[in-house]
Amino acid sequence: MTRRTEWPVSATGHHTGPGHGSAAGHMAESEDAYEPEAGPGPGTGSDAGFGEGAGRRARSRTRSSGSPSSSRAEKGEPRDPVEQARNICLRLLTGTPRTRKQLADALRKREIPDEAAEEVLSRFEDVGLIDDAAFADAWVESRHHGRGLARRALVRELRTKGVDSALIDEAVGQLDSEQEEATARELVARKLRSTRGLDRDKRLRRLAGMLARKGYGEGMALRVVRQALAEEGEDTEGLDEPF
């Protein structure tokens, strides 16, 4: 049976659950807060002023005064897997949205028990820290307008991130064929100048290949490139064949 976890309250009185951004940052920082420093070598740094014996005593104190967290780790005391899963997810989500599958894979890689992982992931979905639909919408918006990717490429990327097929279809449905072709024309226009001086067929292959790598279909790529070359005065006779 899945047990419910009460999210702790910080010393400042603020709830540290996943619904609070600042708490997430605090939890992420606390994971790596303790990093023991190596003591200075003999005859150098602060030890040099107190002699060799003082240096040994200072290093002994440094070794014996480790943090509580490092002491627990050395003793091998188990950590609550739910707390561990929550901290991992908060750290991964700090500044970067992720899908449920991405987080689940990360927890599995760190050998978090399935029951604990499921409890934390479901809780994060309840409070909106995991939202695959919003992730897919933002991904399409960013990757289409920022990188010029076509629907086919966007679908492939979202699948690798574990987004459900229905959510992918809904997200890429934001792009219609007219908008996709307009973006393809912009991509060709930016690349066209760098192909000047090449023969026509080589320009065609280079421009159409660029569109193909971004997920545009062969028919659309050929049509867009052919029109761009024609506008520059190139003879486009015979360019109707597939490249």
Side-chain angles (χ1 to χ4, degrees):
M1 176 181 296
T2 302
R3 63 183 186 279
R4 188 171 187 86
T5 301
E6 291 296 327
W7 306 103
V9 177
S10 68
T12 60
H14 295 294
H15 198 285
T16 60
H20 292 71
S22 59
H26 173 74
M27 294 300 300
E29 294 172 0
S30 66
E31 282 292 290
D32 303 311
Y34 176 71
E35 183 65 30
E37 298 180 356
T44 62
S46 59
D47 283 354
F50 297 96
E52 184 177 351
R56 283 198 299 269
R57 288 193 297 272
R59 288 192 293 274
S60 176
R61 286 195 299 271
T62 300
R63 286 195 298 269
S64 63
S65 60
S67 72
S69 60
S70 63
S71 298
R72 286 196 299 270
E74 291 171 0
K75 293 178 182 178
E77 295 181 7
R79 296 179 60 187
D80 176 18
V82 172
E83 178 188 357
Q84 189 176 6
R86 180 168 63 91
N87 290 346
I88 291 170
C89 289
L90 286 172
R91 186 168 63 248
L92 291 174
L93 286 168
T94 301
T96 306
R98 298 179 191 267
T99 65
R100 178 171 178 136
K101 181 180 184 300
Q102 287 178 304
L103 294 173
D105 289 346
L107 295 178
R108 191 175 301 111
K109 183 178 180 180
R110 290 163 175 79
E111 299 182 348
I112 301 297
D114 291 344
E115 182 180 358
E118 179 65 25
E119 176 179 344
V120 172
L121 293 173
S122 296
R123 172 62 174 163
F124 275 34
E125 278 189 326
D126 289 343
V127 300
L129 278 179
I130 300 176
D131 188 338
D132 283 2
F135 178 96
D137 289 344
W139 188 268
V140 168
E141 176 73 17
S142 172
R143 299 288 282 177
H144 178 73
H145 293 290
R147 297 289 302 278
L149 298 187
R151 286 175 291 185
R152 186 167 59 182
L154 294 167
V155 168
R156 185 168 57 246
E157 288 187 341
L158 288 170
R159 281 177 179 165
T160 65
K161 297 185 179 300
V163 179
D164 182 77
S165 296
L167 297 179
I168 293 176
D169 291 343
E170 186 175 346
V172 298
Q174 301 173 37
L175 302 176
D176 57 31
S177 58
E178 291 183 1
Q179 183 176 356
E180 197 173 45
E181 183 164 335
T183 302
R185 293 186 188 283
E186 293 174 6
L187 290 170
V188 170
R190 291 201 296 265
K191 185 76 172 177
L192 198 62
R193 179 177 300 177
S194 67
T195 66
R196 290 172 184 164
L198 302 175
D199 64 67
R200 185 198 66 175
D201 291 343
K202 185 173 290 187
R203 297 185 80 188
L204 171 67
R205 289 194 299 271
R206 184 165 297 184
L207 293 169
M210 177 268 295
L211 291 180
R213 288 190 296 273
K214 291 181 178 292
Y216 292 89
E218 184 178 283
M220 178 184 290
L222 180 61
R223 182 173 65 253
V224 169
V225 173
R226 185 172 186 263
Q227 181 177 344
L229 293 177
E231 290 174 353
E232 280 207 339
E234 286 274 13
D235 179 11
T236 59
E237 186 69 25
L239 289 184
D240 291 326
E241 295 83 2
F243 54 88

